[in-house]
Amino acid sequence: MNKATYNIVSLQHDSVYEDIQAFLSRHGIQNASTAQNYERGIRKFFMYMKNKNIKDLKREDLHFRNVDMIRYQKYLIDQYNKKLLLMLTWPRY
């Protein structure tokens, strides 16, 4: 009898995007719109921080300093304040 041996091997692509997708899957985000919002937030973060699409990220792109995070927090606050100001000054008919 001839025995066949099957080995399952994971391909290592060194893909940060795959890591992000695995993270989202692992946390069992059941609601599709929630998963889309999470991914949108991640995309915006890396576009701001590295000026890259998440599919183009490499592991070396994942290093940040504390000052980088503070700047990003300020950016988010500024964006929120701009939206709030627009809402408050938008003419109501």
Side-chain angles (χ1 to χ4, degrees), residues 4-57:
T5 303
Y6 297 95
N7 291 324
I8 299 174
V9 179
S10 173
L11 297 175
Q12 301 299 321
H13 298 286
D14 199 33
S15 168
V16 173
Y17 178 73
E18 288 177 3
D19 292 344
I20 291 168
Q21 293 303 311
F23 171 82
L24 294 173
S25 297
R26 182 174 150 229
H27 289 285
I29 300 167
Q30 303 299 322
N31 186 317
S33 65
T34 301
Q36 290 170 349
N37 285 335
Y38 277 33
E39 186 170 328
R40 187 179 311 114
I42 292 168
R43 285 179 184 277
K44 287 180 181 179
F45 172 79
F46 283 109
M47 187 54 71
Y48 177 86
M49 297 297 279
K50 298 294 181 177
N51 198 28
K52 288 186 175 183
N53 184 297
I54 60 174
K55 290 185 178 182
D56 299 326
L57 292 171

Side-chain angles (χ1 to χ4, degrees), residues 79-93:
Q79 293 300 308
Y80 174 79
N81 287 337
K82 285 179 187 177
K83 287 180 184 177
L84 184 60
L85 184 61
L86 281 174
M87 287 174 40
L88 293 174
T89 59
W90 192 259
R92 292 187 177 101
Y93 297 100

